[in-house]
């Protein structure tokens, strides 16, 4: 009998040699990819995103997932992988960018490209923006392949290059490989799950975003000796223009996302103090006063209501006793997604109302983002995200969000694709360190995010 049992055990072990290696839990697999991706320095500039694409390719090649690296520059390639679906549904796109902003190493308490794990956190550049999402998407794609999931729609993984400096990666794909990324909807960065002091989480699903629109103010006057003040002093013209522009109230425009967002906030007990102000936003006679109150204490909410203006760089003069001929200022403008650049330039010229000051746009790829309407809240993907995160026991509410920052999503929305920033990694406000020093993600938050992403993809694709 012992011999029979030993023989049976040996046969099982021999058979196992012909089977795939034992699967590890999804979150553990994702965590390995997460740390490996952080360890690849893809700081932009210069980017070197091909290093990330090569890592993704090695994983997908090993799993037998069809994939390719493509783009205009050998050093800055995008990555695509896909699992076919047998149903009639159009594809689901899982996207995340592979580049990160530079890290000032002297200001970090750990090496930003080692992926140190300590105190329950994974530390490193890209931990929040956005190698966490890329790792989770890769792990979910692999899990779908290993499990032999029956997909009713194709699932595509896209890692795009150059999101942080100009969106050249996704623009190249739209222009040169649209048929490879064309999908019904996409999961992207941009949403966020904000954890409050009581532990409750506000899940914000990004459906639209503001658009960076950097402009230049250039004034011209008459040069002269500093001892003799002049009315046509270029610095004075520029200073007055900056004050007028910064002080002007830009028009409040609610869209389907922000209207629903503020209506929902007004119903939450946690926002009782602001409920009246939120309701006044829909009254043209009271909206500006309500926004002014919010600007002082709720600046992030106030910024959702209108195009914003922040002067950032001033350049003029060669010597303190010489009145310069010219003076220039650069202004960081974040325009509402429905407004075009031409609209705001014309409005700014009227506000400044000075022929000595010329208002023009600065160059840069990200501000070429098109004006778009918000992605629909009735799509299968939005509904799936809402259902999954709302079922979390610590969920306070689930809301559509206009993101103040920019992603690559606008280029896809302009082609008719629904793009949604998924809020799966809960982060307390004091822990928001994207682009900052000691960027990190808690292991607990990361593991939860992987689980939530898998549940969303299951609802939409299986």
């Amino acid at each position: 009998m012992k011999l029979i049992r030993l023989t049976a055990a040996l046969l099982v072990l021999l058979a196992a040699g012909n089977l795939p290696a034992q699967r590890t839990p999804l979150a553990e697999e994702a965590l390995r990819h997460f740390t490996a991706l952080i360890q690849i320095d893809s700081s932009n500039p210069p980017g070197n995103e091909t290093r990330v694409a090569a890592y993704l390719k090695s994983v997908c090649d090993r799993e037998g997932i069809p994939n390719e690296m493509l783009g205009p520059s050998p050093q800055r390639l995008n990555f695509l992988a896909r699992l076919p679906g047998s149903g009639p549904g159009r594809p689901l796109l899982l996207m995340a960018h592979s580049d990160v902003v530079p890290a000032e190493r002297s200001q970090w308490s750990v090496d930003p490209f080692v992926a140190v794990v300590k105190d329950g956190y994974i530390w490193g550049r890209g931990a929040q923006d956005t190698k966490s999402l890329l790792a989770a998407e890769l792990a979910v794609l692999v899990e779908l392949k290993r499990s032999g999931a029956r997909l009713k729609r194709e699932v595509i993984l896209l890692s795009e290059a150059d999101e942080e400096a100009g969106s050249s990666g996704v623009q190249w794909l739209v222009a040169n490989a649209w048929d490879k990324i064309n999908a019904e909807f996409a999961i992207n960065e941009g949403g966020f799950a904000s954890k409050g002091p009581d532990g409750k989480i506000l899940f914000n699903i990004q459906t639209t975003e503001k658009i960076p629109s950097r402009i230049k103010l250039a004034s011209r006057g008459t040069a002269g000796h500093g001892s003799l003040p002049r009315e046509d002093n270029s610095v004075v013209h520029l200073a007055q223009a900056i004050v007028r522009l910064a002080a002007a109230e830009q028009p409040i425009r609610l869209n389907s996302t922000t209207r629903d967002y503020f209506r929902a906030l007004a119903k939450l007990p946690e926002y009782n103090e602001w409920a009246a102000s939120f309701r006044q936003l829909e009254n043209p006679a009271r909206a500006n006063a309500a926004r002014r109150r919010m600007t002082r204490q709720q600046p992030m909410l106030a910024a959702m209501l209108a195009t914003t203006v922040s002067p950032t760089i001033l350049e003029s003069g060669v010597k303190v006793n010489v009145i310069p001929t010219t003076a220039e200022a650069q202004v960081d403008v974040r325009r509402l997604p429905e407004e075009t650049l031409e609209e705001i330039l014309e409005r700014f010229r009227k506000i400044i109302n000075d022929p000595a000051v010329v208002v023009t746009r600065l160059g840069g790829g990200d501000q070429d983002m098109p004006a778009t309407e918000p992605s629909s809240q009735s799509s299968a993907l939005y509904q799936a995200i809402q259902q999954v995160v709302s079922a979390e026991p610590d969920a306070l509410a689930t809301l559509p969000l206009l993101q103040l920052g920019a992603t690559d999503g606008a280029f896809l929305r302009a082609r008719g694709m629904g793009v949604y920033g998924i809020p799966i990694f809960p982060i307390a406000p004091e822990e928001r360190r994207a682009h900052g020093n000691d960027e990190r993600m808690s292991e607990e938050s990361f593991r939860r995010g992987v689980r939530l992403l898998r549940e969303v993809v299951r609802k939409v694709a299986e």
Side-chain angles (χ1 to χ4, degrees):
M1 183 62 69
K2 287 182 179 179
L3 180 61
I4 292 174
R5 285 199 295 267
L6 287 170
T7 302
L10 180 61
L11 289 172
V12 169
L13 289 171
L14 290 172
N18 296 319
L19 295 175
Q22 184 179 6
R23 294 201 305 267
T24 57
L26 177 62
E28 297 304 316
E29 173 116 356
L31 188 59
R32 286 201 300 275
H33 296 315
F34 187 20
T35 56
L37 289 170
I38 288 176
Q39 290 166 357
I40 300 172
D41 185 350
S42 53
S43 300
N44 185 5
N48 290 321
E49 295 92 340
T50 298
R51 298 173 183 171
V52 176
Y55 174 83
L56 301 175
K57 181 173 178 56
S58 70
V59 173
C60 289
D61 283 347
R62 187 167 61 245
E63 300 294 336
I65 300 173
N67 67 85
E68 59 184 317
M69 301 192 299
L70 64 169
S73 168
Q75 290 76 38
R76 313 201 67 179
L77 294 177
N78 305 287
F79 174 82
L80 280 172
R82 62 188 66 241
L83 292 177
S86 58
R90 293 180 58 216
L92 165 66
L93 182 66
L94 309 177
M95 61 184 292
H97 61 86
S98 53
D99 60 326
V100 297
V101 297
E104 192 176 357
R105 292 179 185 240
S106 64
Q107 301 303 310
W108 283 60
S109 62
V110 300
D111 189 315
F113 298 104
V114 169
V116 172
V117 179
K118 69 170 185 174
D119 303 327
Y121 287 83
I122 302 98
W123 300 59
R125 176 57 86 218
Q128 293 184 17
D129 185 15
T130 191
K131 288 182 175 178
S132 48
L133 179 59
L134 181 57
E137 290 174 341
L138 175 63
V140 167
L141 190 77
V142 169
E143 197 269 345
L144 289 174
K145 176 65 165 59
R146 289 179 179 175
S147 67
R150 298 177 61 185
L151 302 177
K152 64 183 178 183
R153 65 176 80 240
E154 186 177 33
V155 178
I156 305 169
L157 173 65
L158 165 62
S159 173
E160 71 268 25
D162 191 34
E163 189 273 347
E164 293 289 4
S167 296
S168 64
V170 77
Q171 290 188 76
W172 186 91
L173 289 164
V174 169
N176 298 280
W178 177 247
D179 59 321
K180 297 179 186 238
I181 64 171
N182 188 6
E184 182 174 352
F185 28 55
I187 289 174
N188 192 22
E189 64 168 331
F192 69 92
S194 181
K195 186 183 295 185
D198 60 354
K200 292 291 186 180
I201 298 175
L202 194 62
F203 289 97
N204 299 274
I205 307 172
Q206 187 231 50
T207 60
T208 187
E209 59 202 89
K210 281 193 159 184
I211 300 175
S213 305
R214 283 86 188 211
I215 68 167
K216 181 173 72 173
L217 308 181
S219 64
R220 190 169 185 87
T222 302
H225 199 285
S227 63
L228 183 61
R230 309 183 65 93
E231 289 186 0
D232 57 346
N233 184 315
S234 62
V235 175
V236 174
H237 281 288
L238 181 65
Q240 292 172 340
I242 290 172
V243 170
R244 289 175 190 149
L245 190 56
E249 289 189 330
Q250 303 297 325
I252 292 175
R253 295 186 182 180
L254 296 176
N255 56 35
S256 58
T257 293
T258 51
R259 185 173 291 107
D260 289 348
Y261 184 84
F262 285 103
R263 284 176 178 175
L265 283 186
K267 296 176 183 177
L268 297 177
E270 290 79 1
Y271 287 88
N272 273 342
E273 178 185 353
W274 292 95
S277 293
F278 294 158
R279 287 191 289 268
Q280 289 170 359
L281 295 174
E282 299 190 57
N283 182 341
R286 298 186 175 184
N288 279 324
R291 179 179 58 181
R292 284 193 291 271
R293 288 192 295 274
M294 291 166 58
T295 300
R296 292 189 289 270
Q297 297 182 45
Q298 297 281 350
M300 289 186 65
L301 298 183
M304 294 182 186
L305 300 170
T307 291
T308 55
V309 175
S310 295
T312 53
I313 297 177
L314 302 175
E315 295 179 334
S316 181
V318 293
K319 199 164 185 260
V320 70
N321 63 348
V322 177
I323 297 174
T325 304
T326 61
E328 292 185 356
Q330 295 183 26
V331 183
D332 186 4
V333 177
R334 302 298 171 119
R335 74 179 192 266
L336 291 176
E338 302 85 3
E339 288 190 310
T340 66
L341 183 58
E342 291 70 27
E343 282 182 78
I344 65 166
L345 289 176
E346 183 59 28
R347 186 164 72 239
F348 290 175
R349 291 179 184 119
K350 291 179 179 177
I351 291 170
I352 293 171
N353 191 29
D354 184 348
V357 178
V358 177
V359 183
T360 57
R361 57 159 287 174
L362 286 170
D366 54 355
Q367 67 177 329
D368 290 326
M369 290 177 181
T372 65
E373 291 296 320
S375 298
S376 171
Q377 296 175 45
S378 62
S379 73
L381 179 53
Y382 184 92
Q383 294 295 318
I385 297 172
Q386 185 177 50
Q387 291 167 16
V388 167
V389 299
S390 295
E392 292 294 283
D394 51 0
L396 172 63
T398 305
L399 308 176
L401 174 73
L402 180 149
Q403 176 61 264
L404 301 183
T407 74
D408 284 341
F411 296 102
L412 303 182
R413 287 192 186 96
R415 295 294 296 266
M417 190 186 303
V419 184
Y420 301 93
I422 190 166
I424 53 174
F425 302 115
I427 300 175
E430 65 273 12
E431 285 296 327
R432 292 178 192 156
R433 302 190 180 201
H435 291 206
N437 299 325
D438 283 345
E439 185 180 353
R440 62 197 184 194
M441 170 78 68
S442 79
E443 289 190 61
E444 177 187 0
S445 179
F446 180 73
R447 293 174 193 274
R448 182 198 282 210
V450 174
R451 172 178 60 81
L452 293 175
L453 178 65
R454 178 63 183 91
E455 291 177 15
V456 169
V457 172
R458 178 183 292 123
K459 277 185 174 292
V460 175
E462 287 191 27

